[in-house]
Amino acid sequence: ECLKMKKEMDFALSGEIKIDSLADIAEVALQQDQFTLAIKYAEQGLELILPMHAQNVRFYCILMRAHNGLDNFDECEKFFQLATEILYHHLGQSHPLHVTVYSLMSYLLIPKGKFEDALYLYKSALLCS
């Protein structure tokens, strides 16, 4: 099954590479617990975008989830910081996209026992919505 998915991804990426396609493929890899593959495609997408571009937020969220799946929580926190910096830079501090990023990080904090941090982010997400 993994080989079949890789062939489909390679076929989808033949020709001109589209940023949205890379993100979609990384999402599919995440759904199948192919965390290393998700990281590969997310990093490839980030290479094609300027560092502070708002579209990077989607790739950072993918990287947060993938690194969480590999128990690399320090990387999750790093990509959370990068995502929030871009959001503040482009969209201000109360844009609805903060809800997605804060909620994702909260969800990742709970299994680590960081309940106060998770609660703070959930409350921040509610304020943004």
Side-chain angles (χ1 to χ4, degrees):
E1 170 135 336
C2 182
L3 183 59
K4 180 182 174 191
M5 183 179 78
K6 181 168 178 8
K7 285 182 183 179
E8 290 174 3
M9 288 181 189
D10 290 341
F11 175 76
L13 291 174
S14 62
E16 184 179 330
I17 296 175
K18 304 229 185 243
I19 301 295
D20 290 335
S21 297
L22 287 170
D24 291 342
I25 291 169
E27 291 281 354
V28 169
L30 276 176
Q31 291 171 2
Q32 297 187 4
D33 295 336
Q34 298 292 322
F35 304 119
T36 305
L37 198 55
I39 290 168
K40 173 187 166 188
Y41 287 112
E43 288 175 345
Q44 188 177 355
L46 289 170
E47 290 174 7
L48 300 172
I49 307 172
L50 293 172
M52 286 298 287
H53 194 284
Q55 201 165 9
N56 285 337
V57 173
R58 183 173 182 196
F59 288 108
Y60 290 145
C61 287
I62 291 167
L63 288 167
M64 288 167 61
R65 291 167 47 211
H67 281 287
N68 184 64
L70 295 172
D71 291 325
N72 297 330
F73 194 73
D74 289 342
E75 292 294 302
C76 296
E77 290 177 322
K78 177 179 98 173
F79 291 117
F80 172 74
Q81 284 294 339
L82 291 169
T84 55
E85 285 174 21
I86 289 172
L87 288 173
Y88 285 122
H89 177 77
H90 286 289
L91 306 170
Q93 60 185 350
S94 60
H95 189 274
L97 191 51
H98 283 279
V99 174
T100 301
V101 177
Y102 291 169
S103 297
L104 173 59
M105 189 61 179
S106 298
Y107 176 78
L108 300 177
L109 285 167
I110 290 171
K112 304 294 180 199
K114 298 182 177 189
F115 303 115
E116 288 183 31
D117 293 337
L119 182 60
Y120 176 80
L121 287 175
Y122 275 133
K123 286 180 179 179
S124 297
L126 283 172
L127 287 173
C128 290
S129 65

